Amino acid sequence: MDSIYFHPNRFSHSNVLVTGAAQGIGKTVALRLALEGANLALVDRDASVHEYAAELQQSCTGKIFSVTADLENWEGAQTMVDETLSQLNSIDIAINAVGGTIWAKPFERYSDEEIIREIDRSLFTTLWSVRAELPGMIEQQKGTIINVSSVATAGINRVPYAAAKGGVNALTSALAREAASHGIRVVATAPGGTLAPARDIPRGPVPQSDEERAWYQDIVEQTLDSSLMGRYGTLEEQAAAITFLASKEASYITGSVLPVAGGDQG
């Protein structure tokens, strides 16, 4: 892979909120923003986000602080925004990166409780977050919201997750129309399969049976087959697309969902 080039000071004087910042795409986005001068509110439900914020603050010039909140409910989203505004006074950019498949199996094998949990994890975390972020942006008549969706909207063995991310796409498109008159852009990326270190906070149970492992392997094979490049992406490639959409370079882009999946359009 070629080196990832940073843009020093691209986000200096910008107040940026990043959810899901303790690991995965959200954590990598936070690192890039910190290196490019942003003031950051890092949000996660896991307390490790506090350690990560302190680590970034040691080497970066912007103000960086952290919030623990469960974004699967409205109260958590409102707490996140209230604490961010108390520290940064405004939210110029909000990056909503919480979500992820919990189970991998054919749709008929999901229980009703599992379906609800998938929707709560990968749709309501974004829906509540955006609802909390929006009023302050309307008041200041500017802002950018970037949602993280997925090309798994056309994937197998995770229909509830696909439905949730389809909802994120619809939220992005519909809200962009409402928010444009307030000077607010609303966009999304749709990551494909992405290489990442083992998760400190598992999304769900590890496949145990041969059948469960086969269902997960079907997802891996479909991901590779759907990518024109025939590979998984990297966290840095996902962060590069998100930070581009967050930047002034993307000032004429709204309502769009950008696939970042090696040619897989989802």
Side-chain angles (χ1 to χ4, degrees):
M1 295 295 300
D2 293 335
S3 299
I4 300 297
Y5 294 98
F6 293 96
H7 304 271
N9 302 317
R10 179 164 59 160
F11 292 101
S12 60
H13 309 299
S14 294
N15 297 330
V16 187
L17 182 155
V18 183
T19 75
Q23 60 185 347
I25 291 173
K27 184 175 185 178
T28 306
V29 167
L31 171 61
R32 181 158 190 153
L33 289 165
L35 292 172
E36 297 189 6
N39 299 315
L40 287 174
L42 305 187
V43 184
D44 204 280
R45 67 181 179 182
D46 190 83
S48 63
V49 73
H50 300 312
E51 181 180 347
Y52 186 52
E55 176 186 330
L56 289 182
Q57 186 66 89
Q58 289 179 0
S59 57
C60 298
T61 58
K63 179 176 181 177
I64 301 173
F65 78 102
S66 51
V67 180
T68 50
D70 183 355
L71 301 179
E72 291 183 16
N73 60 72
W74 164 248
E75 292 76 13
Q78 187 63 68
T79 295
M80 166 187 76
V81 167
D82 288 346
E83 292 196 25
T84 299
L85 292 177
S86 73
Q87 293 285 330
L88 300 182
N89 298 317
S90 69
I91 300 172
D92 302 313
I93 301 164
I95 298 170
N96 301 306
V98 173
T101 307
I102 304 173
W103 292 278
K105 54 186 171 180
F107 186 40
E108 69 275 9
R109 303 294 288 268
Y110 282 81
S111 69
D112 51 354
E113 293 87 357
E114 289 170 343
I115 291 170
I116 291 168
R117 283 192 61 193
E118 294 277 9
I119 300 300
D120 283 344
R121 175 75 59 83
S122 292
L123 175 58
F124 272 100
T125 49
T126 301
L127 196 67
W128 292 134
S129 294
V130 170
R131 174 64 185 85
E133 295 153 0
L134 193 60
M137 291 186 177
I138 291 175
E139 183 176 353
Q140 67 195 20
Q141 288 291 289
K142 64 177 181 177
T144 301
I145 295 170
I146 302 99
N147 300 320
V148 178
S149 181
S150 174
V151 295
T153 49
I156 62 170
N157 291 348
R158 40 188 173 165
V159 166
Y161 173 71
K165 290 304 190 180
V168 171
N169 293 347
L171 162 65
T172 299
S173 176
L175 185 60
R177 291 180 177 273
E178 288 190 17
S181 62
H182 299 290
I184 301 166
R185 295 190 301 116
V186 186
V187 291
T189 64
T194 304
L195 297 171
R199 298 179 66 87
D200 296 326
I201 314 152
R203 284 178 177 161
V206 176
Q208 298 292 332
S209 68
D210 290 342
E211 185 177 47
E212 289 171 337
R213 285 189 286 270
W215 290 333
Y216 186 80
Q217 185 60 33
D218 287 343
I219 291 176
V220 172
E221 292 174 3
Q222 189 233 326
T223 298
L224 292 172
D225 288 344
S226 298
S227 169
L228 302 183
M229 295 181 175
R231 66 171 176 87
Y232 274 52
T234 68
L235 291 171
E236 290 76 13
E237 287 172 322
Q238 298 300 335
I242 291 168
T243 52
F244 162 69
L245 287 176
S247 74
K248 293 179 181 179
E249 297 166 279
S251 59
Y252 197 49
I253 301 173
T254 195
S256 299
V257 179
L258 173 65
V260 188
D264 182 359
Q265 301 300 301

